[in-house]
Amino acid sequence: MVTLFIGHRGVGKTTFLKQLSNYYKQDPNKKFFDLDKEIETQSGLKIQQIFDDYSESHFRQLEAKTLNSLIESHKEYEVFISLGAGFSQTLPVNARVIFLSR
């Protein structure tokens, strides 16, 4: 099962993800990812640098690729992913989507 946290900037998606991961820290069947942090880790670049040096379009391609890669490589786990506020790609069909708001 894949659960995606979406919402406007600053509503606490990443904070909620961290709290949830702390709650389930003893459960090896659950994995938690912040999509923006994963993009930075995989690309070796900060988000702002990707926008500045390449383009928003390039960032959105990395965003979709990274999301799909996380889901594909963790099929055997229950996966929780916090998406960036500007995420505009098609959401995975079987994902549970939770919209966080203040």
Side-chain angles (χ1 to χ4, degrees):
M1 169 62 80
V2 175
T3 301
L4 304 174
F5 300 114
I6 64 172
H8 297 290
R9 178 178 291 147
V11 299
K13 297 178 298 290
T14 298
T15 300
F16 183 73
L17 183 75
K18 286 178 186 176
Q19 290 173 341
L20 197 61
S21 71
N22 283 335
Y23 183 80
Y24 287 112
K25 65 184 168 191
Q26 300 300 325
D27 189 339
N29 296 313
K30 293 179 176 27
K31 299 293 180 183
F32 301 87
F33 301 98
D34 179 293
L35 187 59
D36 284 348
K37 286 186 172 122
E38 290 298 316
I39 292 168
E40 289 180 342
T41 299
Q42 290 183 24
S43 70
L45 301 169
K46 295 289 185 187
I47 301 297
Q48 189 60 51
Q49 188 177 358
I50 296 169
F51 272 79
D52 292 346
D53 294 351
Y54 299 95
S55 65
E56 180 178 354
S57 175
H58 180 74
F59 172 75
R60 298 299 171 198
Q61 290 172 357
L62 286 174
E63 193 175 45
K65 179 181 174 185
T66 304
L67 176 61
N68 291 330
S69 174
L70 284 173
I71 292 170
E72 185 64 29
S73 63
H74 294 88
K75 284 182 179 180
E76 66 276 11
Y77 299 100
E78 185 170 0
V79 178
F80 299 85
I81 304 171
S82 172
L83 303 182
F87 187 87
S88 61
Q89 310 296 324
T90 302
L91 296 171
V93 176
N94 295 326
R96 175 175 40 191
V97 178
I98 299 175
F99 181 82
L100 298 177
S101 65
R102 287 187 174 205

